[in-house]
Amino acid sequence: MFGGVTTVVTGVDVAKRWGSTQALNGASFSVGEGVTGLLGANGAGKTTLLGLILGLHRPDVGTLDVLGHDPWLAGSQVRAKLGYAPEHDALPPDVAAHDVVRHLAELHGLPRREATSRASDALWEVGLGEERFRPVGTMSTGQRQRVKLAQAIVHDPELVLLDEPTDGLDPTQREAMLGLIHHVGADLGMHVVLSSHLLEEVERVSNAVVILEAGRVVAGGGMAELSKADPELVVDLDRDDSDQDPASRLAATLAELGAAATASSPTRVVAVLEGPGIYDVVRDALADGGYSVRRLQRRTASLEEIYLASSGRGAAL
Amino acid sequence: MSLRASDVVAGDGNARIFEGGYRPYRGIRLGVGHSVWALARHTIERIMGLKRPARYKVLPFLAVLIAYLPAIAFIGIVALAPPGGGRRILDFVPGPGRYYGFITAAIILFATLAAPEALCPDKRSRFLGVYLASPLNRTTYLLAKAIAVGTVLLLVTLGPPLLLLIGLALQNHGPNGFSDFMGTLGQILVAGVSLSLMFGAISLAVPSLTDRRALASAGSLLLILGSGAITGTVTFGLKGPRNVLALALNRLPFELALRIFTLPGLPTGPEREFGAHSPPLSTAVVVGASVAVTAVAAAVTWWRVVGLEVTR
């Protein structure tokens, strides 16, 4: 189980080496329902992990379970239930979008008549209904990414693997694609693994995340669960001529009262929320000290902070 | 009955929405065999340029047309030859067994065009990764491609002699009697399938080594024609072993077809070198070489496709 819901993919100590490159190095993780972000820098092992989930490679070490099967041993059975959109621009340019999508539907076992009907439905769903008979090569990058999404969902898979689906898109197109991915995961009843090196887009649409760093899983779990780890209370104060550094004074007071708090600036105090009593402690300290309070807010960690903390990185991806 | 806006707005509450948008698929899902056939059919369409702009149709249809033209011409000659007076003309018309000699170039050209179109674009565009993310694996993927190439090659290896047989038979110039007709029909089927298998295997081997169509076509052509030149030089120029000629890929498939029609092989060299009655290669050598060449070519293709990297 994964945060109280069904587990779709489970990996235990998965390792995979390509020549001298250790692509995955003992990765253990779970992917649950909804949209799960697979986050990591380029070369972190994301695409290799997708290949293992698809049963295209055999792990050197470790076990992998996808929808109740070992993908290496039951590859065809597993892949019939998966949809996959690759990172690169792989679609044949001289073939109509509808033909490409229908062809993929047939490959996944749908009879020809059903595949034809589903191809139209899928292309309408991704916003290409009117454009579906245009050759893929005449479409914009954003439209081609939508065709890739359509071919991945046309056979109504249980799990959709999307490898960098916003690659090459401008901000407007990216926004629309993220909306579609959220729609697929939330409304169409498919589970989605969104592989990306962009923190912001994973944070936008995912309800869980697996963070890869040099082939290892450095953090994973539901977004709500991860962001709840060590939540903080941020207190912004006003300063005046008589008190230029109210934050240091408040932090010292809170420390005397047994609360873990630091002054991050002359006007900001960040206190670690260690139980419900901390609110009373902070309130009393503020009242007793006569502080002028500008803002008091409970803050949860962003995905970027989680990533930086777990990977030990000092810079963004 | 016309429908007014008021009818819609002031309905009785029984209206239902039938179009519910995207719906889960609850229908049947067919197995891997269906996937193989779907890919084979798609590849056949691709090779023939179907559902693609007109320029992609020109070469494949031209090659097929060239393969059928002699058969149509021979049938026309038989139809137009004066009764009793056209014996010499009718002697010129070959039977199905000798017909391949007229369309050798068309078959080789078609094979070297078809196979690269089947394999190269998937590798070059990396669509192969999408195929292998379906229920297909590398072996079933290759099986589908081989079925496609073999099937389109039947258009030029089986269709024309079949047309010739039927055309001649309808004009009483074909085999004598039903049993002869059925025997010749069987020989045409076996020869057509054998040629298709051999040229399919040979012409798939080179595209498995590269992802560029033009290079693959040129390479296949060079391999087929070059092997003929090299083996000829070894046998006739250097007076090497005669059996080396069995590795002439431009002749070996057609030699096999002749043996299937129980016809003697083509002359294997200049008369002054080997004499006017130099015996052709033995059937055992021709069959053995055909099996070996097909097996080696298939093994090379399989080895290359199995070793292709996707989603690394």
Side-chain angles (χ1 to χ4, degrees), chain B residues 236 239 242 266-279:
Chain B
F236 304 123
K239 296 191 169 45
R242 193 180 177 79
L266 293 167
T268 52
E271 289 184 1
R272 62 185 170 80
E273 293 288 343
F274 284 92
H277 302 292
S278 62

Side-chain angles (χ1 to χ4, degrees), chain A residues 83 98 100-108 110 114-123 147-157 160 190, chain B residues 22-25 29:
Chain A
H98 184 268
V100 174
V101 177
R102 181 186 62 188
H103 177 46
L104 267 298
E106 284 190 271
L107 283 180
H108 281 89
L110 271 62
E114 298 287 350
T116 303
S117 157
R118 295 283 304 183
S120 288
D121 289 351
L123 285 162
V147 176
K148 284 201 289 187
L149 179 61
Q151 63 81 25
I153 65 171
V154 65
H155 55 289
D156 195 23
V160 183
M190 302 172 202
Chain B
Y22 190 90
R23 288 149 294 161
Y25 179 70
R29 290 179 191 268

Side-chain angles (χ1 to χ4, degrees), chain B residues 9-312:
Chain B
V9 174
D12 58 1
N14 290 329
R16 286 189 294 166
I17 298 171
F18 286 95
E19 177 51 63
Y22 190 90
R23 288 149 294 161
Y25 179 70
R26 304 283 184 230
I28 56 167
R29 290 179 191 268
L30 304 168
V32 176
H34 175 75
S35 307
V36 170
W37 172 236
L39 178 56
R41 191 180 57 215
H42 178 79
T43 307
I44 290 169
E45 289 174 356
R46 229 193 129 69
I47 291 170
M48 297 307 295
L50 304 178
K51 297 179 181 173
R52 298 170 74 194
R55 65 179 182 278
Y56 293 104
K57 299 176 176 67
V58 174
L59 278 178
F61 276 91
L62 194 62
V64 171
L65 183 68
I66 291 170
Y68 281 83
L69 270 182
I72 294 166
F74 291 135
I75 294 168
I77 287 169
V78 171
L80 297 174
R87 175 54 52 195
R88 290 188 65 183
I89 295 175
L90 293 178
D91 285 346
F92 175 70
V93 175
R98 293 278 184 203
Y99 181 77
Y100 291 117
F102 293 86
I103 59 168
T104 304
I107 292 176
I108 291 174
L109 177 69
F110 193 53
T112 54
L113 286 174
E117 186 62 54
L119 276 188
C120 294
D122 293 347
K123 289 190 291 175
R124 190 159 178 77
S125 68
R126 294 196 273 179
F127 202 63
L128 179 63
V130 179
Y131 280 135
L132 297 182
S134 76
L136 296 171
N137 58 29
R138 285 172 167 85
T139 305
T140 48
Y141 166 83
L142 190 56
L143 175 67
K145 293 291 175 176
I147 289 172
V149 172
T151 304
V152 292
L153 283 178
L154 285 176
L155 279 176
V156 291
T157 62
L158 184 60
L162 206 55
L163 176 68
L164 185 64
L165 172 71
I166 293 167
L168 296 180
L170 288 175
Q171 298 177 82
N172 294 324
H173 193 69
N176 294 320
F178 179 73
S179 62
D180 273 4
F181 178 86
M182 292 308 290
T184 307
L185 181 63
Q187 288 171 327
I188 288 174
L189 290 175
V190 174
V193 171
S194 301
L195 278 171
S196 181
L197 272 176
M198 279 195 75
F199 274 116
I202 294 166
S203 60
L204 277 170
V206 177
S208 72
L209 303 172
T210 176
D211 59 5
R212 292 179 179 274
R213 264 177 295 190
L215 190 62
S217 287
S220 299
L221 207 56
L222 194 66
L223 176 69
I224 292 171
L225 299 182
S227 63
I230 291 170
T231 54
T233 304
V234 169
T235 305
F236 304 123
L238 305 176
K239 296 191 169 45
R242 193 180 177 79
N243 286 343
V244 170
L245 283 174
L247 296 177
L249 302 181
N250 60 332
R251 300 183 66 175
L252 178 64
F254 301 109
E255 284 283 343
L256 180 68
L258 285 172
R259 306 308 163 99
I260 291 167
F261 285 98
T262 62
L263 293 169
L266 293 167
T268 52
E271 289 184 1
R272 62 185 170 80
E273 293 288 343
F274 284 92
H277 302 292
S278 62
L281 294 177
S282 74
T283 299
V285 169
V286 171
V287 172
S290 300
V291 171
V293 164
T294 306
V296 168
V300 167
T301 310
W302 185 80
W303 168 68
R304 286 292 299 173
V305 171
V306 164
L308 283 172
E309 281 182 0
V310 288
T311 67
R312 173 172 171 171

Side-chain angles (χ1 to χ4, degrees), chain A residues 28-40:
Chain A
S28 295
F29 61 93
S30 290
V31 172
E33 295 177 334
V35 181
T36 299
L38 182 58
L39 186 64

Side-chain angles (χ1 to χ4, degrees), chain A residues 243-290:
Chain A
D243 189 357
Q244 287 294 314
D245 190 5
S248 296
R249 194 158 59 87
L250 176 61
T253 306
L254 289 172
E256 286 170 13
L257 295 170
T262 54
S264 63
S265 75
T267 58
R268 171 170 289 188
V269 173
V270 179
V272 177
L273 281 170
E274 297 171 322
I278 188 69
Y279 289 106
D280 295 335
V281 172
V282 172
R283 181 202 60 204
D284 293 344
L286 287 171
D288 293 345

